Each structure stands twice: as structure tokens, then as C-alpha cells.
Amino acid sequence: MQDGQERLTGLKNKAGAAARAQYRSGGLPPGAQLALSSDPSMYLIGQDLLRQGEKATAGTISELTRTQKQLQQYAIDASARWQVLEENRVKQENAKREIEQKIKAAEELENKLEAEEKARLLQLEQEDQYKAQKAWLSTGVLNGTHGAASEGGKRALAYAVAQIGKPYVWGAEGPDSFDCSGLTSQAWRAAGRTIPRTSQEQLRLLPKVAVKDMRPGDLIIYFDDASHVGMYVGDGAMVHAPRPGRSVTLAGAGSMPIKAIVRPDA
């Protein structure tokens, strides 16, 4: 855009110079000035120069017009792109508000429960996770799996485990609270590697590995919509930030439906 604007300015200056030259000559067209010349040789030489000048002027005007059109199209394209970005921003803000409202409603509902009811709810969750983990392990999925963590994986895992006990807060990425992908992205940042912020983008952009090949530090993406992520610890366990009302904790790697395994430092 800047180069185009500078080119346009230069062309306008050339066109302006031609206009000023005509003004200085009294407003007579160059052809008329030559026709009034008393020197025939100068007339012939002047005709050739005139043709060259007219060609150059026509080229300048043509390029000026072309550049103006290019800049206009650039402005149209930029405006359209800005509109798309603005629409996406509004959509994201609306989605964020909707999620926050749902989380708030769930928290309010849970806060109305008596201590005994809360304990029972937690117990039911743990029982469901235990059953899922047991079923997953019974398939022999981890047989022969002895992948060792990379140096980066060790650092990322050390960071994640150190956050155990900190509360889940949607959209948080530390240091006092985390959501699931906030924990995994910050853990790998602490290990010196920047990875996508959300579980969906982690699934989309990071290399996938087979379950049998996973190693500590790998990320486990859960559910069909890739809405949750944890970090594999080893021995069938993972560390994650579960949900609102819960804290960063250890859990069975197979306690939820696994969609994929991705490796940040493949």
C-alpha cells in the first residue's frame, strides 16, 4: 500500500509538471507553438520531440490511472477483510459471553447443593471416570508402551504437575488458575515451545501420534469436538484442569473418550 501510494504521488507530480509547462507557454498546445515557428528545421525537430513527449505523457497518465485503480481495489479488499475480522470478533465475544453465562449458571446450581450432595456428585464423577479408565486399560492399549519423555516433555510435565491444586477458571492461563488448554499451552511455553492456545487448535496444528507411541508430555485431546485436553504423565495417567468448580489434578488418561494424541515437540 505504501509503495503504491508513493508511486501515485510521483505520477501526479509528473502530470502536474506537464500542466505547469503548458501554463508557462501561454496555454498554447505544443503543436500550435511549433506551427507558429519561423524556422522549418526547428519545426521538424520539434515535431519529433512533440511525438515523444505526447507518448511519454500518455504513458504517465495511463500508469497514473492504473495505479489509482490498484489503490482503490486495495482499499476495497482491506475494507472487506476488516469487516470479516470485525464480524469474527463480535462472534467470539458473543460466544465468550454465552459460555461464561452457562458456567455461571452451573456454578450457581452447584453452590445450592448441600455439602452431602456435593460429595455425592463428586463420588459419581469419580466412579464414572474409574469405570472408563478400567475399560480402557482392559483393552491392553498400553501393553508395550514405554515411551520416554523428551527433555522438553520433562520440563512441560514438571510445570503442569506443579500446578496441581490450582482452580479451574475458564479462559485462564495462570499463574493462579487455568483452564484445560491454558494449562497445557503454558506448560509447553515453560519448556521453551509455543503451541496453540485452544484444544481444537492443538489438535489441528500439532503432529498426531498413535496411543501406543505416546510418551509423557504428549497432549491427549478428548471428545469428538476436541473440547478438552490433558497432558500424559505416564503409567496410564494424565494431569489436567477438569472443569469449573474443580482444581488441576491427576486422572486416568482413559477416563474420558480420547479423540487423538498430539506431540508438541515431534
Side-chain angles (χ1 to χ4, degrees):
M1 177 65 175
Q2 181 65 30
D3 292 342
Q5 190 64 55
E6 290 177 356
R7 188 166 72 251
L8 180 61
T9 300
L11 292 170
K12 285 183 176 179
N13 289 339
K14 287 183 180 180
R20 288 192 296 274
Q22 184 174 351
Y23 176 79
R24 287 194 298 270
S25 67
L28 286 174
Q33 294 177 37
L34 287 174
L36 294 175
S37 172
S38 58
D39 188 337
S41 62
M42 287 300 296
Y43 177 80
L44 294 175
I45 294 173
Q47 273 194 317
D48 185 54
L49 293 175
L50 175 60
R51 282 193 295 270
Q52 294 179 26
E54 288 175 341
K55 185 176 180 181
T57 301
T60 297
I61 294 174
S62 176
E63 187 176 355
L64 175 61
T65 302
R66 185 168 56 253
T67 301
Q68 284 178 319
K69 288 181 178 179
Q70 289 175 348
L71 290 174
Q72 288 170 353
Q73 187 59 49
Y74 181 92
I76 292 171
D77 293 343
S79 178
R81 178 59 179 161
W82 175 258
Q83 183 175 353
V84 170
L85 291 174
E86 181 63 15
E87 289 174 354
N88 288 339
R89 182 187 65 79
V90 172
K91 288 179 181 178
Q92 289 174 352
E93 289 180 352
N94 291 338
K96 180 180 179 181
R97 280 195 295 270
E98 182 179 351
I99 292 172
E100 289 174 340
Q101 289 170 359
K102 289 180 178 179
I103 289 175
K104 183 179 180 180
E107 289 176 338
E108 288 176 351
L109 179 61
E110 189 167 348
N111 289 335
K112 292 178 182 178
L113 298 176
E114 299 294 335
E116 184 176 341
E117 293 173 322
K118 288 183 179 180
R120 179 57 179 159
L121 178 61
L122 178 58
Q123 181 183 356
L124 290 173
E125 287 182 359
Q126 292 173 340
E127 287 177 357
D128 287 342
Q129 291 173 3
Y130 174 77
K131 290 177 182 177
Q133 175 74 356
K134 185 177 180 180
W136 182 66
L137 291 175
S138 68
T139 64
V141 66
L142 295 183
N143 293 346
T145 300
H146 303 293
S150 64
E151 289 304 313
K154 291 177 183 178
R155 292 193 294 270
L157 191 55
Y159 179 95
V161 171
Q163 311 313 312
I164 289 177
K166 293 183 178 181
Y168 177 106
V169 173
W170 185 76
E173 40 189 0
D176 300 321
S177 57
F178 297 87
D179 66 10
C180 65
S181 55
L183 177 65
T184 54
S185 60
Q186 289 302 307
W188 272 100
R189 177 173 291 182
R193 183 166 181 81
T194 300
I195 66 173
R197 170 62 177 84
T198 67
S199 53
Q200 288 87 357
E201 288 296 282
Q202 289 169 2
L203 171 66
R204 188 174 73 87
L205 297 175
L206 298 179
K208 298 176 180 62
V209 297
V211 173
K212 65 181 180 63
D213 296 324
M214 67 180 176
R215 66 192 187 193
D218 287 346
L219 305 184
I220 307 175
I221 309 296
Y222 292 99
F223 304 111
D224 288 339
D225 60 356
S227 58
H228 192 66
V229 60
M231 181 178 292
Y232 189 56
V233 175
D235 295 327
M238 60 94 172
V239 58
H240 71 148
R243 67 170 181 82
R246 300 289 183 260
S247 300
V248 177
T249 187
L250 290 173
S255 60
M256 294 173 285
I258 294 176
K259 183 174 180 65
I261 312 296
V262 297
R263 179 164 295 166
D265 62 342

